[in-house]
Each structure stands twice: as C-alpha cells, then as structure tokens.
Amino acid sequence: VEQMSKLIATLDHRIHDVVLVDYIDRRSLSQPISDERIHDRAATFRFTIRDDSKTLTKAEIDAVVQQVSDAAI
C-alpha cells in the first residue's frame, strides 16, 4: 500500500496529498469471496490534483486520473 501511495505521488507533478482511505485484504476474511472478478486486495486513495500556475481543465484532470487508474491495474 505504501508503495502504491508513493507511485501515485510520482505519476504527475500536479498530484499532491496522497492519502490511504480504505484497505481490505479479502484473503484474511473468514468467508472468502469466490467471485473471480474480485481481486484479493483493494485500496482506496484520495489525492489532490493542483497546478499552482493555472486552473486545470477537465481534460487535464481526466488525464491525470487516467494515469493513476492505469498504474493501479
């Protein structure tokens, strides 16, 4: 999880304040989930996207979010 947090922070210079919100390791549950589509572990992160020199456009924000999404897979 710490490694993923650091990775997110380094993807783009406009990403700030990466915070782990939630984490679950389904392998440790007493009733394992048998659905193959569900991964063994899941984490939710909150992060801020900010540019100190200008207002970001929706397209710029979407591109950063896509970078994070692609890195998480």
Side-chain angles (χ1 to χ4, degrees):
V1 172
E2 183 179 332
Q3 196 174 17
M4 179 57 77
S5 180
K6 288 179 181 180
L7 173 65
I8 292 169
T10 62
L11 290 173
D12 192 289
H13 70 279
R14 297 169 293 190
I15 295 177
H16 302 273
D17 307 320
V18 180
V19 177
L20 175 66
V21 175
D22 192 22
Y23 175 77
I24 185 168
D25 186 344
R26 291 182 180 89
R27 297 171 299 180
S28 64
L29 297 176
S30 59
Q31 294 287 328
I33 299 171
S34 61
D35 190 336
E36 293 178 10
R37 297 171 296 167
I38 298 175
H39 298 286
D40 289 336
R41 294 174 288 176
T44 302
F45 291 92
R46 178 182 302 130
F47 54 92
T48 303
I49 304 169
R50 177 182 72 229
D51 190 314
D52 294 331
S53 64
K54 68 175 195 152
T55 301
L56 295 171
T57 65
K58 181 179 180 331
E60 290 170 321
I61 294 168
D62 289 346
V64 172
V65 170
Q66 187 63 52
Q67 279 182 298
V68 172
S69 179
D70 291 345
I73 295 177

